[in-house]
Each structure stands twice: as structure tokens, then as C-alpha cells.
Amino acid sequence: MLLTKFSHSCVRLERDASVLVLDPGTFSEVEEALDGAHAVLVTHEHPDHVDVDRVAAVLAADASIELWAPQGVADVMAARLGDTSAGRIHAVGGGEKFSAAGIDVRTFGGQHALIHPLIPIVANVGFLIEGSVYHPGDSFIVPDGVDVGTVLVPVHAPWSKLAEVVDFVASVRAPRAFQIHDALLNDTGLGMVEGHIERLGSRYGTSFRHLAVRESVDV
């Protein structure tokens, strides 16, 4: 597959003629990422992972695009699309398997990482694509029973600290890792965090590399 990194947590995966997009949020190039897409996966309801207005506009303009997301997101998108949502908006939780645009998908987890006890926890689903590429959304859920080939690492968030990021990378032990959830860091902070991930992750067999926005890599 060809993986293209967009801003923050949005990535685009292409295999043959199939195009799958994950987490087109408010910090991302939504319309560009979704251009020619056949399926959209959303890990959770926070705006930096799904820009409801812009994603709904794209889906309204192309009735062939399907979307998989936790129940809350699915309900909102179905309401926005009305009758045109039938059969193409799918609610999904952890522990499921399905095919999106002919691409195999498995789900893990089910809960967003804790931000603060006063902030309600929402549903979050991590997606494993073609048994190889893992997007955890806003969680450090380690997929069980699989050998991940490429892990997308949330490098910085209000709900995490560096030690947890490194432990996640060490636990997944994927040969390759690229960053996501990076929009809240300036270049200095990003360089420091990624330096630690690269150095410490290599001890556990993970090669970490930074991807620029719109950069593509075979996975």
C-alpha cells in the first residue's frame, strides 16, 4: 500500500484502485485527502479527527463513499446526510472485522485515553489495515494477536506524556513507525519528542521516521 501523511492524524492509504482515508479532522487537508476516496475511517468524535461539516460535504457530493466510525460519529453523519446515508454509514466498535473498499480492517480498543477526570471519555476505535498498518486514534491500545508492520504513533496530546508514547512503541514492536497527532507541537518540540522515540524505539526493533505533510511511503 501507499501511505500518504496529511496534517495531524489524517492519513491516506491506496492499494491498487482502492483509497481509504483515516481521521480527516479540522487540522487536516480534508478535501485533498478525500479526493478520489472510496472509504473513510474515523477513530473518534473529536474535531481534530473528524471535521463533520467538511467530511459530510464530501460524502454528500459523492454517494459512493462509505464511512466507518464509533456510534456517536455515525449517528451525526447519518443525520447530516439524511436519506443518502442508507447503507454507507457504519457504526463500529472494538473487536470487529470488515472490508472497506476491498481493504481488510480490524478494530481494537473502544475508549479514548483519559484527558482529565472532569472531561467525559468518548468512544475510540483503533484500526488495523490489511493486518499491517495500525492507527490507534487517541489511545495507546496495543493490538493483540497480530504482528503490526507499521504503527502510526500519536507523538503528543493533552492525554499523554513522552514515557507513554515510548512505551506504546516498545509494546507494539512494529518494524516501522511514523508520527501522527503532531499538530500541537512546534518544530523544536517535535524534534525533541521524535528524537527520543527514534532512539529508544530502535532498542525494541522499531525504525521511526518523520513524514512531512503530503509525503508518501510504501508500507
Side-chain angles (χ1 to χ4, degrees):
M1 291 183 292
L2 183 71
L3 181 151
T4 301
K5 170 78 166 69
F6 287 95
S7 295
H8 202 50
S9 286
C10 181
V11 297
R12 175 182 170 112
L13 291 165
E14 301 175 56
R15 193 197 64 181
D16 300 326
S18 297
V19 178
L20 179 66
V21 177
L22 295 97
D23 280 7
T26 53
F27 299 156
S28 308
E29 301 78 13
V30 173
E31 293 80 11
E32 182 180 349
L34 291 177
D35 184 25
H38 303 99
V40 182
L41 305 182
V42 175
T43 60
H44 66 285
E45 66 188 53
H46 289 161
D48 58 324
H49 293 259
V50 57
D51 188 322
V52 171
D53 291 338
R54 294 161 71 191
V55 172
V58 172
L59 267 62
D62 186 347
S64 69
I65 303 175
E66 296 185 64
L67 179 142
W68 283 261
Q71 188 70 60
V73 178
D75 290 344
V76 169
M77 295 302 297
R80 289 293 186 97
L81 296 174
D83 293 341
T84 65
S85 69
R88 64 188 186 114
I89 304 299
H90 312 278
V92 64
E96 299 186 28
K97 298 180 181 180
F98 58 91
S99 177
I103 296 174
D104 291 334
V105 181
R106 289 184 62 184
T107 62
F108 294 88
Q111 180 175 292
H112 191 286
L114 177 68
I115 301 172
H116 188 275
L118 295 177
I119 299 176
I121 292 175
V122 301
N124 179 93
V125 175
F127 293 105
L128 180 69
I129 314 301
E130 283 293 309
S132 178
V133 178
Y134 182 54
H135 190 309
D138 278 8
S139 79
F140 289 135
I141 293 295
V142 176
D144 58 284
V146 296
D147 293 323
V148 176
T150 300
V151 62
L152 303 175
V153 184
V155 295
H156 174 75
W159 45 268
S160 74
K161 60 183 181 181
L162 177 60
E164 295 171 329
V165 177
V166 172
D167 285 348
F168 172 70
V169 173
S171 296
V172 177
R173 294 178 185 257
R176 294 177 302 275
F178 306 107
Q179 91 286 0
I180 56 172
H181 218 281
D182 51 354
L184 301 182
L185 286 175
N186 61 20
D187 290 342
T188 301
L190 186 60
M192 181 190 71
V193 170
E194 291 188 336
H196 285 302
I197 297 170
E198 181 179 6
R199 177 172 56 87
L200 297 174
S202 66
R203 298 185 182 183
Y204 299 89
T206 298
S207 175
F208 176 88
R209 182 162 78 83
H210 175 87
L211 289 181
V213 174
R214 299 183 178 88
E215 184 175 357
S216 298
V217 61
D218 289 317
V219 294

